[in-house]
Amino acid sequence: MNEEIARQLRAVAEAHRPDRARMLARVQRGMAGPAVRHRARPFARSGTRVALAGLAAAGILTTGGLAVAAIVTTPSPPPSATVTVPATPSPTPGSPHPTSARPTPVAPAPVTTTPGSARPTPPATSPSPSAGESQNGPLWSAGSLDPKSSVYWTQSNLALKTTQPLTSLTVEIRIVQTGQAQNTGTWQTLPNGDFTVTVQEDGGALIYRWVLKPGLTVPAGSHEFAAQFNNGVGVRSAAGDGYRVDARGSGGSASVRGGFVPTR
């Protein structure tokens, strides 16, 4: 019964459209005119109205409760997820687009050759300092490290051959100064009195020099010269050491030079 009444009241309430103009006019007339006393009406009619008012109030309360319950039980919609998209920086007009750096290939230098031409052969008088042997004219030479050399002491040997007598001869051995190289002596197979021998430090190296005295002659054959020195503690490299020989004989001048290699 209560549900039916509530339904009817709800339908009437939804269909009711109050006349605001008439209500406003009645209020204005009431405020302008004198108060009118209404005569009392019988109790029975007023009681009926009270009952109807009570039912209407109950229906309104019921409808309000249903509306409140519907509001409470209706789940709230979940908040919408907001996705933030990072802004892409706009390229500045005229600025180049960023690109990954790539190495620029370098083309090898072109090699120009003449058909039928042979590679030039370096002259015998200018061998690489690391080469042990050299030959020029009547001279032949070879530089080597003496097998008796140690981590403390070194002897650099120079073997010299000539196929004709020499009236002028200068032999020079150059030992790179490593900071601890100290001269300990020289020797040669030719007579000591035939040469002026000097040892001095010059240009970051120990210079051993043999100069044939004027008026003397070096006979044809094989001869040896040696430079001795202390090289400190540790194995010393002879890569920077070298020798040079300048001579003159009946056939003219000749020179040889080279380096010192370990003895095999």
Side-chain angles (χ1 to χ4, degrees), residues 100-165:
S100 57
R102 295 183 180 180
T104 303
V106 179
V111 179
T112 304
T113 58
T114 303
S117 62
R119 293 184 178 179
T121 303
T125 56
S126 302
S128 170
S130 60
E133 298 183 7
S134 178
Q135 185 173 1
N136 177 237
L139 300 179
W140 176 93
S141 63
S144 63
L145 296 178
D146 193 276
K148 297 180 182 179
S149 299
S150 66
V151 295
Y152 306 101
W153 177 84
T154 301
Q155 177 173 302
S156 299
N157 297 331
L158 171 60
L160 179 65
K161 295 180 182 179
T162 176
T163 58
Q164 60 182 247

Side-chain angles (χ1 to χ4, degrees), residues 172-176 202-208 240-243 260:
E172 182 178 287
I173 295 179
R174 183 183 184 89
I175 304 298
V176 174
D202 182 27
L206 287 177
I207 308 299
Y208 295 78
D241 301 344
Y243 68 84
F260 296 94

Side-chain angles (χ1 to χ4, degrees), residues 186-207:
T186 63
W187 66 268
Q188 69 280 337
T189 54
L190 293 168
N192 291 333
D194 291 356
F195 292 88
T196 300
V197 182
T198 60
V199 180
Q200 61 182 359
E201 187 168 346
D202 182 27
L206 287 177
I207 308 299

Side-chain angles (χ1 to χ4, degrees), residues 27-150:
V27 172
Q28 290 177 352
R29 286 197 303 269
M31 293 177 63
V36 179
R37 291 182 177 270
H38 299 279
R39 66 177 180 177
R41 297 183 179 181
F43 176 77
R45 295 178 64 184
S46 62
T48 302
R49 291 188 175 184
V50 169
L52 291 175
L55 291 175
I60 293 172
L61 291 175
T62 303
T63 303
L66 292 174
V68 172
I71 294 173
V72 172
T73 57
T74 302
S76 302
S80 59
T82 303
V83 180
T84 303
V85 180
T88 303
S90 302
T92 303
S95 62
H97 294 282
T99 56
S100 57
R102 295 183 180 180
T104 303
V106 179
V111 179
T112 304
T113 58
T114 303
S117 62
R119 293 184 178 179
T121 303
T125 56
S126 302
S128 170
S130 60
E133 298 183 7
S134 178
Q135 185 173 1
N136 177 237
L139 300 179
W140 176 93
S141 63
S144 63
L145 296 178
D146 193 276
K148 297 180 182 179
S149 299
S150 66

